[in-house]
Amino acid sequence: DFIHALEEVKPAFGVHEEDLQECTKGGVLKYSSAIDDILNRGTRAIKQARESDRFNFSSILMHGPPGSGKTALAAAIGLASEFPFIRLISPDAMVGMSEAAKVQFIDNTFRDAYKSPLNVLVVDDIEGLIDYVPIGPRFASTVLRALMVRLKKSPPEGHRLIVISTTSSYTVLRQLDMLGCFNDEIGVPNLGSLDEFARVLEATRFSDAAGRKQVLQSLASVVSEVNVPIKKTLFNIDTARFGENPVQDLVELMVESTTPLRR
Amino acid sequence: DFIHALEEVKPAFGVHEEDLQECTKGGVLKYSSAIDDILNRGTRAIKQARESDRFNFSSILMHGPPGSGKTALAAAIGLASEFPFIRLISPDAMVGMSEAAKVQFIDNTFRDAYKSPLNVLVVDDIEGLIDYVPIGPRFASTVLRALMVRLKKSPPEGHRLIVISTTSSYTVLRQLDMLGCFNDEIGVPNLGSLDEFARVLEATRFSDAAGRKQVLQSLASVVSEVNVPIKKTLFNIDTARFGENPVQDLVELMVESTTPLRR
Amino acid sequence: DFIHALEEVKPAFGVHEEDLQECTKGGVLKYSSAIDDILNRGTRAIKQARESDRFNFSSILMHGPPGSGKTALAAAIGLASEFPFIRLISPDAMVGMSEAAKVQFIDNTFRDAYKSPLNVLVVDDIEGLIDYVPIGPRFASTVLRALMVRLKKSPPEGHRLIVISTTSSYTVLRQLDMLGCFNDEIGVPNLGSLDEFARVLEATRFSDAAGRKQVLQSLASVVSEVNVPIKKTLFNIDTARFGENPVQDLVELMVESTTPLRR
Amino acid sequence: DFIHALEEVKPAFGVHEEDLQECTKGGVLKYSSAIDDILNRGTRAIKQARESDRFNFSSILMHGPPGSGKTALAAAIGLASEFPFIRLISPDAMVGMSEAAKVQFIDNTFRDAYKSPLNVLVVDDIEGLIDYVPIGPRFASTVLRALMVRLKKSPPEGHRLIVISTTSSYTVLRQLDMLGCFNDEIGVPNLGSLDEFARVLEATRFSDAAGRKQVLQSLASVVSEVNVPIKKTLFNIDTARFGENPVQDLVELMVESTTPLRR
Amino acid sequence: DFIHALEEVKPAFGVHEEDLQECTKGGVLKYSSAIDDILNRGTRAIKQARESDRFNFSSILMHGPPGSGKTALAAAIGLASEFPFIRLISPDAMVGMSEAAKVQFIDNTFRDAYKSPLNVLVVDDIEGLIDYVPIGPRFASTVLRALMVRLKKSPPEGHRLIVISTTSSYTVLRQLDMLGCFNDEIGVPNLGSLDEFARVLEATRFSDAAGRKQVLQSLASVVSEVNVPIKKTLFNIDTARFGENPVQDLVELMVESTTPLRR
Amino acid sequence: DFIHALEEVKPAFGVHEEDLQECTKGGVLKYSSAIDDILNRGTRAIKQARESDRFNFSSILMHGPPGSGKTALAAAIGLASEFPFIRLISPDAMVGMSEAAKVQFIDNTFRDAYKSPLNVLVVDDIEGLIDYVPIGPRFASTVLRALMVRLKKSPPEGHRLIVISTTSSYTVLRQLDMLGCFNDEIGVPNLGSLDEFARVLEATRFSDAAGRKQVLQSLASVVSEVNVPIKKTLFNIDTARFGENPVQDLVELMVESTTPLRR
Ligand SMILES: Nc1ncnc2c1ncn2[C@@H]1O[C@H](COP(=O)(O)OP(=O)(O)OP(=O)(O)O)[C@@H](O)[C@H]1O
Ligand SMILES: Nc1ncnc2c1ncn2[C@@H]1O[C@H](COP(=O)(O)OP(=O)(O)OP(=O)(O)O)[C@@H](O)[C@H]1O
Ligand SMILES: Nc1ncnc2c1ncn2[C@@H]1O[C@H](COP(=O)(O)OP(=O)(O)OP(=O)(O)O)[C@@H](O)[C@H]1O
Ligand SMILES: Nc1ncnc2c1ncn2[C@@H]1O[C@H](COP(=O)(O)OP(=O)(O)OP(=O)(O)O)[C@@H](O)[C@H]1O
Ligand SMILES: Nc1ncnc2c1ncn2[C@@H]1O[C@H](COP(=O)(O)OP(=O)(O)OP(=O)(O)O)[C@@H](O)[C@H]1O
Ligand SMILES: Nc1ncnc2c1ncn2[C@@H]1O[C@H](COP(=O)(O)OP(=O)(O)OP(=O)(O)O)[C@@H](O)[C@H]1O
Ligand SMILES: [Mg+2]
Ligand SMILES: [Mg+2]
Ligand SMILES: [Mg+2]
Ligand SMILES: [Mg+2]
Ligand SMILES: [Mg+2]
Ligand SMILES: [Mg+2]
């Protein structure tokens, strides 16, 4: 089992496991076939990265709505590679840095990622990395440039690198002419059908079987399907536990999340 | 009684009580059921923050028109948690700081908020914190980024944090792609019905019973409902006391506030 | 008499009288009932500022066309308060300062205005203070932020402060989301009817009774009412005195001012 | 005669005569009654500046198309005042200065202009002073602010100052909200009728009487009136002298100038 | 054979062969007549550069969609010239440099390119060099200016230089008024017909003859022609080798690449 | 003969001949009467500059499409003046300078141009000098201001200066309000009729008489006239010499240049 592997791998050198494992803390629930497809596509990419005769470099883009699970999936695929060098670039680490410092930081991390024979780099939340803000719009253009150069550059011979990037704004990346930097693109969807939601309810052991059934029935009487990111879904389930009437509260929270008020 | 608790709590350590109590100086009048709902939702969030097995972090957004009482309510909920660490981030403290200094300040306050087992942080007036101005529009994008990163980041294990933010511009936050930073949203409305106004009149002991009745009758003959923030309502009531004819002055002030001239 | 008081008051401490008296040098002619209303509203605000149990802070906005007399009226109301601390913040004093220096200057003046028990601050020409220019539009956003924070902040207990601000661009303030900073708004109009003009003519002793009558008759044959700020009106009257035919010159100048060529 | 006075005056102190006389080097030809009116209006303003009981400060704006003679007329009126302090602020002197240095320069010059009892300041080419460029548009906003403050500020008691400003872009000044800085406005037109052109031809002694007549007749057969600034007119007349056929060349040049190709 | 020559040439001095050969690592497959035409036009330009009596300088622009092979072709033409000085300017080398440093770098490289009698310079990815980003749009205007000056300037007498530039954004270059900098333009197309794809399949020895036939048949049943850059085509072929069903995977990948989802 | 003079003149002092002669290296072919008119107008301007009683300064603008020959013509006219001081300001010399340094450079060159009794300054490529880029649009506004001031300022008495400027963007100069800086404007057109092209073919001795005839006939069968700048025309003629079939290649190149693909 692909994901199961996660727990057994302890790469010897260069891995900042804590960071990436932090990202998958909530686990990867296989709540739909779309999740299986994503993990298979990830497996193929890792295999190519390890064995291809022609390319010692590839660059994958995971894109989907906020909270849909991109970071968790990218981290899971990266960790499952068992490559000796695995690392994460994320906006967290760079808050308050000047643009120049960010460029330096990115460049150094990429250079490090050329050092072992097999390397994985997770470049998380590209809009965050380039400080993209839709109003304006604004972004750090030197950071963007540094990323674009690095995302197209093979490591020196004898070294192999796969970069897995994530974004919540596919459109923005297209507008920035960044799509040419990726060799493949993988879409990550929101939770859709009530069946998928049922599987999450079960996996998180919400209430008891009767309670879960009631939730699904009540929900089905209001909406035909949900459109809620897995992250929000898991939080709603948790919040409801602390309400006075968990079953009713969860239904309300899921309905609110599916049809948010537009103010 | 939830709010009553406020007066008894004297947290032992790390609380900047003065700041937050300053924010609720005018009290929290329960002038409508909407206010009760808001306080209940706050109670549930605090309970989850204290007891959840799955999440040691949550982030709530209170939004509503200027003067509707967001800051007072956020402060009241925060203070009522009785958490040992309670603190406020507001534009006040940062006037005249460079962007870099602001980022530092925010970051330090968040780091402090990881230190005790149970922590509350009130992040007041997000537009103010990021120096948002509608003309342009302009804002401090590095401050925005720092906030966005912090509003999504869990504290280290063994620590729990709930962040309560406020904004008068829900739309702006959506345009800034900030809504994904919050786990829940609570709307705070203006004073609407004349009944609600009646309850405020009584609570503030304006004039005598006859005078209040006269105010309400005169008002009802001009407008069917008011649409005035609680803050402005309380100021109008006070201003009227110093006019030559308080009852008439108050009616005029409330009408002016309900239907402001558009110049 | 409200205005009469002006001449007798000599506050003991902290007043920069020269500055404010400079602003009312041309006097406050009671040429219409609108002027009386404005002065009454000012009186009530001063009274509330001195005596209110609930609020130790208020903030008033005077707005109207350029030259309509906002600064003179704000200064007159401020001086008439007889508060021990009376001071003026105006663009004059800040020409050539950096944005940071301006923020410092404003902040210091406000802090000073917390020192005596009763304080008045005239914040003159807000657009000027924030270097607002309609083309762009441009403005100093850190200065704007500093003002917005200060215009909403009560002084420490035991101190009372009333701030009287002026602006020629009510619309701009609304677009800047600044209106929420003021507890009350007072509009100042241009000179409108010929009667009002007649009162100004008399008060300034232009020509003799016959001359004034001739001016008014000639004017009435061309325009049914004027729309000229008091400041321009007083200058026109003075200019005409130096023409070869004062009566005719004044009529021409008032007509030009009422219907300016649009180029 | 107003202009005649120019040659006789030799103010004792503080005048930078060279600068201003340089501006009127080409003389002021009285080629139309509009020019007479402008000079009369100038005379009245100077008289008011010298003698008014109410105002010790005034500020005049001369506006008109490029090359229409604004600078020459402003300089002529200023020099004719015979005031002891006469000075010029123009973009020339400030090329390459930083914005801050420009603000300093302007401020110092105004302060100097408060030193003698009677002072004239010519503020030439306001768009140039504020580095206005229509594309953008751009301009130096701190310089603009410095000018706006100074153009509204009276000198200390005992001193009198008249400022005469020029601009080719009345519209821009209106868009910049600068018009409120001036007490009076004087328009300067282009050369219009062929009669006016005839007077200039004569005054400049172009060709002989027959040649001039031929120019006017040829021109009249092509255009019914010209629309050429006096500056360009004088240059065309000079250029034609060096062509192989001066009369024909001048007609061509005046037609080109009247109906410029729009590319 | 033009391209064959590549492998034999070892220029004596000043060539940074590694850089340029890196660019053609994947080879130049002659998969269509368009490729032949491009190479012929390149040959003529090199000949003119070497032998012209009138011009000792020329500047060629290669333009086409991302991944279409511009850089590989420019490098191949450059290397085939056998000129003693051959060098590459690309965004890679300049990541993180300040604008000023970039200008210096470009200028120095051009100066170096005047040193030997025959010089080739490949200026790769002009948008990248000037940090062009479509959102805004933004770009480094001093770098742009430096390039524009250098792309129009002949070397000193006795020296000959040909510059081969590449861009993915012909439109942007036109909007930047850069097209006037080039003496000739060469378009590089995407892979179009299935025949062209067949030739690439063969050259890369994908699967066996039967497998290739199957790929082409399956593809033909879905799309009548492809529109995929050679770079992406080669990557797809490689990826498919690592799937569980290479033939089917390749068809899917080519279809996805031809009709990308528009999100 | 005007142009012939070029070769004989060797001014004694202050001329940077190399620079200007570099600009006319390709010669000035008299391929149409428009070229004669331009040279005549240049002659008249030089004569006026040398001899006028009224003006010791003039400023001419040469404008036309890219490559139409503006720089070569400006340099030819300047060199033909035989003035003792002749110099060139062009973007070349200023690449990589800061804006401030550019202003300094321009100012110094103008000051130098006041030193001898007769001075010519060629100010080449104004858009380049001010770093104008259509996207934005952007430009160096302090450099623009410096130029505008200098282009209107006469040298001190006893000195004469003529400035000849060039631009490819007449429209931009109008939008920048720069046209008021020039006393005269001269348009430079592209090659238009096939006759003009024939004259260039002959002058450059392309192929033999039969070959030239064939070129013209083939061309005439495709297009009725060309619209190609002289610079591009001369380059095309040279390129064709190195093709396998020069006559056919030249026809193709001229057609491509006349009707460029719009991508
Ligand atoms: N099948 C799944 N795929 C992804 N995440 C899952 C899945 N099942 C459970 N999770 C949990 O859901 C959460 C998804 O959050 P994650 O931060 O990965 O989303 P995201 O799309 O990166 O969000 P953001 O847009 O905010 O960056 C994680 O806590 C993860 O452990
Ligand atoms: N039910 C209530 N809810 C909130 N505030 C109340 C209530 N009753 C009375 N108040 C008083 O009303 C005032 C509300 O002002 P507050 O500053 O909290 O509003 P706000 O929405 O944060 O305003 P702003 O948009 O300016 O930040 C406070 O002084 C508070 O004490
Ligand atoms: N009733 C009046 N109200 C106000 N000003 C008056 C009145 N009567 C006379 N004045 C005189 O008119 C002038 C008004 O100018 P003031 O500077 O106050 O106008 P303003 O509206 O502030 O102008 P600006 O828009 O330029 O700031 C002052 O000189 C004042 O003394
Ligand atoms: N009646 C006149 N009015 C103004 N200028 C005149 C007149 N007669 C002759 N002249 C001459 O015409 C020229 C006008 O140029 P001037 O620089 O004053 O114009 P301007 O409007 O200031 O131009 P710009 O818009 O370029 O600043 C001067 O040389 C002046 O001596
Ligand atoms: N006929 C060909 N023309 C160009 N490249 C080819 C050809 N055949 C194979 N290739 C290979 O295809 C790849 C083309 O990639 P290249 O980087 O040159 O494209 P590009 O257009 O410069 O891309 P980008 O727009 O990303 O700069 C190279 O690896 C090259 O070796
Ligand atoms: N009649 C002519 N007029 C101008 N240039 C000519 C003529 N005959 C030949 N030439 C040659 O044509 C070329 C014109 O190029 P030049 O650089 O002067 O054009 P330009 O309009 O300044 O171009 P750009 O817009 O790029 O600045 C020069 O090499 C010049 O020697
Ligand atoms: Mg994520
Ligand atoms: Mg608040
Ligand atoms: Mg005022
Ligand atoms: Mg002028
Ligand atoms: Mg490339
Ligand atoms: Mg040129």
Side-chain angles (χ1 to χ4, degrees), chain B residues 92 95-96 128 131-135 138 204 231-232 234-235 238-239 242-243 249 253 256 262-263, chain C residues 41 44 48 51-52 54-55 58 63 103 137-139 144-145 149 153 170-171 174-176 183 185:
Chain B
D92 263 46
V95 157
D131 278 320
Y132 184 84
V133 187
I135 292 184
R138 302 193 195 173
T204 53
K231 201 165 155 186
K232 178 83 180 159
L234 295 173
F235 193 83
D238 193 62
T239 300
F242 298 93
D249 279 23
L253 286 164
E256 269 184 30
R262 283 288 154 249
R263 268 148 296 211
Chain C
R41 199 143 181 167
R44 185 177 69 183
Q48 180 183 17
E51 300 171 19
S52 168
R54 290 187 152 263
F55 296 92
S58 66
H63 56 91
V103 167
R138 302 194 194 170
F139 51 91
L144 171 65
R145 183 60 48 192
V149 165
K153 198 173 174 64
Y170 186 84
T171 308
R174 189 170 61 230
Q175 288 167 350
L176 291 169
N183 300 112
E185 305 173 356

Side-chain angles (χ1 to χ4, degrees), chain A:
Chain A
D1 188 343
F2 183 78
I3 290 309
H4 186 220
L6 268 185
E7 276 126 53
E8 282 153 35
V9 181
K10 289 279 171 222
F13 154 83
V15 180
H16 285 214
E17 280 191 285
E18 313 78 45
D19 288 349
L20 276 167
Q21 281 174 3
E22 174 82 23
C23 294
T24 52
K25 224 171 43 180
V28 170
L29 305 178
K30 300 196 175 186
Y31 62 79
S32 82
S33 70
I35 299 297
D36 298 330
D37 289 351
I38 291 168
L39 295 172
N40 287 340
R41 199 144 181 166
T43 312
R44 186 177 69 183
I46 293 290
K47 206 169 157 210
Q48 181 184 15
R50 186 190 288 109
E51 299 171 21
S52 167
D53 294 340
R54 291 186 152 264
F55 295 92
N56 65 342
F57 176 72
S58 67
S59 161
I60 308 290
L61 178 66
M62 311 209 61
H63 55 92
S68 57
K70 303 169 299 293
T71 303
L73 287 165
I77 292 168
L79 287 167
S81 73
E82 309 193 23
F83 282 11
F85 182 100
I86 305 183
R87 205 158 293 178
L88 173 71
I89 295 181
S90 79
D92 264 45
M94 305 200 299
V95 158
M97 282 188 192
S98 69
E99 280 203 29
K102 286 179 184 176
V103 167
Q104 198 65 47
F105 181 90
I106 289 170
D107 233 57
N108 286 343
T109 312
F110 267 91
R111 277 179 218 275
D112 286 352
Y114 298 159
K115 288 194 177 145
S116 89
L118 294 170
N119 306 274
V120 175
L121 208 48
V122 174
V123 174
D124 193 37
D125 188 5
I126 289 186
E127 314 90 85
L129 291 174
I130 63 170
D131 279 319
Y132 184 84
V133 188
I135 292 184
R138 301 193 196 172
F139 52 90
S141 52
T142 61
V143 179
L144 172 64
R145 184 59 48 192
L147 270 179
M148 285 179 77
V149 165
R150 282 299 174 187
L151 287 172
K152 287 178 78 171
K153 198 173 174 64
S154 314
E157 233 167 292
H159 299 263
R160 290 165 176 273
L161 171 61
I162 177 167
V163 180
I164 312 178
S165 305
T166 77
T167 181
S168 308
S169 302
Y170 185 84
T171 309
V172 167
L173 264 54
R174 189 170 61 230
Q175 287 167 351
L176 291 169
D177 270 356
M178 267 197 108
L179 294 184
C181 298
F182 303 103
N183 300 112
D184 206 5
E185 305 173 356
I186 304 181
V188 182
N190 271 349
L191 228 83
S193 70
L194 293 179
D195 277 5
E196 289 172 13
F197 180 48
R199 254 168 267 149
V200 176
L201 274 186
E202 208 142 335
T204 53
R205 299 195 200 100
F206 178 79
S207 180
D208 52 16
R212 292 197 286 273
K213 196 165 166 195
Q214 210 184 323
V215 167
L216 289 164
Q217 279 174 346
S218 300
L219 202 53
S221 73
V222 190
V223 294
S224 59
E225 58 175 16
V226 296
N227 178 20
V228 184
I230 180 69
K231 201 164 155 184
K232 178 82 180 159
T233 304
L234 295 173
F235 193 84
N236 283 347
I237 291 172
D238 194 62
T239 300
R241 291 193 218 259
F242 298 93
E244 298 187 358
N245 184 339
V247 164
Q248 185 186 321
D249 279 24
L250 181 53
V251 173
E252 277 170 16
L253 287 164
M254 288 303 288
V255 171
E256 269 185 30
S257 308
T258 296
T259 57
L261 287 168
R262 283 290 154 247
R263 268 149 293 211

Side-chain angles (χ1 to χ4, degrees), chain E residues 177-195:
Chain E
D177 270 355
M178 267 197 107
L179 294 184
C181 298
F182 303 103
N183 300 111
D184 205 5
E185 305 173 355
I186 304 181
V188 182
N190 271 349
L191 229 82
S193 69
L194 293 179
D195 277 5

Side-chain angles (χ1 to χ4, degrees), chain D:
Chain D
D1 189 343
F2 183 78
I3 292 309
H4 187 219
L6 270 185
E7 276 125 55
E8 280 154 36
V9 181
K10 288 281 170 217
F13 154 82
V15 179
H16 285 214
E17 280 191 285
E18 313 78 43
D19 288 350
L20 276 166
Q21 280 174 3
E22 173 82 24
C23 294
T24 52
K25 225 172 42 180
V28 170
L29 304 177
K30 301 198 176 185
Y31 63 80
S32 80
S33 69
I35 299 297
D36 298 330
D37 289 350
I38 292 167
L39 295 172
N40 287 340
R41 199 144 181 166
T43 312
R44 184 177 69 184
I46 293 288
K47 206 169 157 211
Q48 181 183 15
R50 185 189 290 110
E51 298 171 20
S52 168
D53 294 339
R54 292 188 151 261
F55 297 92
N56 66 340
F57 175 73
S58 66
S59 160
I60 308 290
L61 177 67
M62 312 209 61
H63 56 90
S68 58
K70 304 169 298 291
T71 303
L73 288 164
I77 292 168
L79 287 167
S81 74
E82 309 193 23
F83 282 13
F85 182 98
I86 305 183
R87 205 159 295 179
L88 172 71
I89 296 181
S90 79
D92 263 47
M94 304 201 298
V95 158
M97 281 189 191
S98 68
E99 281 203 28
K102 285 179 185 175
V103 167
Q104 198 65 47
F105 182 90
I106 288 170
D107 233 56
N108 287 343
T109 312
F110 268 90
R111 277 179 218 275
D112 287 352
Y114 298 159
K115 289 193 177 146
S116 91
L118 293 171
N119 306 274
V120 175
L121 207 48
V122 175
V123 173
D124 193 35
D125 188 5
I126 290 186
E127 314 91 86
L129 291 174
I130 62 170
D131 278 321
Y132 184 84
V133 187
I135 292 184
R138 302 194 195 171
F139 51 90
S141 52
T142 61
V143 179
L144 172 65
R145 183 59 48 192
L147 271 179
M148 285 178 77
V149 165
R150 282 298 174 185
L151 287 173
K152 288 178 77 171
K153 198 172 175 64
S154 315
E157 230 165 295
H159 300 261
R160 291 164 176 273
L161 170 62
I162 178 167
V163 180
I164 312 177
S165 305
T166 76
T167 181
S168 308
S169 302
Y170 186 83
T171 308
V172 167
L173 264 53
R174 189 170 62 229
Q175 288 167 349
L176 292 169
D177 270 355
M178 268 195 107
L179 295 185
C181 298
F182 304 102
N183 300 112
D184 205 5
E185 306 172 356
I186 304 180
V188 182
N190 272 348
L191 229 82
S193 70
L194 294 178
D195 277 5
E196 289 172 14
F197 180 49
R199 255 167 265 146
V200 176
L201 275 186
E202 207 140 337
T204 54
R205 298 193 203 102
F206 178 79
S207 180
D208 53 14
R212 292 198 285 273
K213 197 168 168 193
Q214 209 184 323
V215 167
L216 289 164
Q217 278 175 347
S218 300
L219 202 52
S221 73
V222 190
V223 295
S224 59
E225 59 175 16
V226 297
N227 179 20
V228 183
I230 180 68
K231 201 165 155 184
K232 178 84 180 158
T233 305
L234 295 173
F235 193 82
N236 284 347
I237 291 171
D238 193 62
T239 300
R241 293 195 216 259
F242 298 92
E244 297 187 358
N245 184 339
V247 163
Q248 185 187 320
D249 279 23
L250 181 53
V251 173
E252 278 170 16
L253 286 164
M254 288 303 287
V255 171
E256 269 184 29
S257 308
T258 296
T259 59
L261 285 168
R262 282 290 154 248
R263 269 146 295 209

